Amino acid sequence: VVAPSALPFDQASPTPHPLTKNEILEIQNAFVLAAKRALEAGFEVIEIHAAHGYLLHEFLSPYSNHRTDEYGGSFANRTRFLLEVVRKVRMNWPEGLPLMVRLSATDWLEQTDEPSWTLEQSVELCQLLKAEGVDIADVSTGGNVPFAKIPAGPGYQVLFAKEIHDKAGILT
């Protein structure tokens, strides 16, 4: 099990191995190879999954990313891994074919004292993603925090997608 930091998801989960810089580069290259295979197989759209507590989301969120190198700390550092993946994949994915990024717009911890990923950070990230050639932000929420209180119900994530669409100017 790997992650940005040696923080288990919950008490029942194993403690992950914090990725080294070389391992980060290997994973980025794996994303590129996967995009190339998808193109060779005839796919016409791909999506980079950076939501729901998966690895890229863990790097984005200060809740799960406690690194002190260039992949942790500031917003720019926490978004670096995803932006590098996007940049490398976009270089290998035809301009005429859509590139999507799925992201959790919030960790649902705004009402706590815990550091977390927020809608405001998602808007800023989506502005950067658009500049890197991402065509669509597939907006969801949550998944990175086991105790988050998510008010699930019909359309509960629509307002997050609308906010990102309106403020970042990217399709959602």
Side-chain angles (χ1 to χ4, degrees), residues 4-160:
S5 306
L7 302 169
F9 179 71
D10 57 23
Q11 291 180 348
S13 299
T15 299
H17 159 75
L19 289 170
T20 66
K21 292 176 191 172
N22 283 339
E23 290 169 326
I24 288 171
L25 289 173
E26 288 174 15
I27 291 170
Q28 290 175 349
N29 290 332
F31 274 96
V32 171
L33 293 173
K36 287 179 177 181
R37 285 191 306 271
L39 185 61
E40 289 172 12
F43 285 85
E44 295 180 349
V45 61
I46 57 172
E47 179 173 72
I48 296 169
H49 199 313
H52 307 130
Y54 284 86
L55 184 63
L56 294 172
H57 181 192
E58 287 181 314
F59 269 84
L60 294 174
S61 176
Y63 175 81
S64 50
N65 183 343
H66 295 187
R67 296 175 76 96
T68 57
D69 64 3
E70 68 267 29
Y71 290 98
S74 69
F75 172 85
N77 286 356
R78 288 182 286 108
T79 59
R80 183 181 316 275
F81 188 8
L82 173 58
L83 291 170
E84 288 174 349
V85 167
V86 164
R87 197 170 296 128
K88 290 175 180 182
V89 167
R90 184 80 265 183
M91 288 176 16
N92 290 278
W93 188 252
E95 282 296 319
L97 297 180
L99 173 60
M100 301 170 58
V101 171
R102 185 161 178 87
L103 71 137
S104 290
T106 178
D107 283 335
W108 291 104
L109 293 179
E110 288 84 354
Q111 305 305 316
T112 72
D113 291 331
E114 296 284 345
S116 69
W117 186 251
T118 65
L119 176 58
E120 293 75 22
Q121 292 172 84
S122 293
V123 168
E124 187 176 349
L125 173 61
C126 284
Q127 291 166 339
L128 298 171
L129 291 172
K130 183 179 178 185
E132 292 292 345
V134 171
D135 300 291
I136 301 168
D138 184 3
V139 180
S140 188
T141 60
N144 195 41
V145 179
F147 59 86
K149 303 280 190 260
I150 301 174
Y156 78 101
Q157 298 185 109
V158 173
L159 293 177
F160 293 99

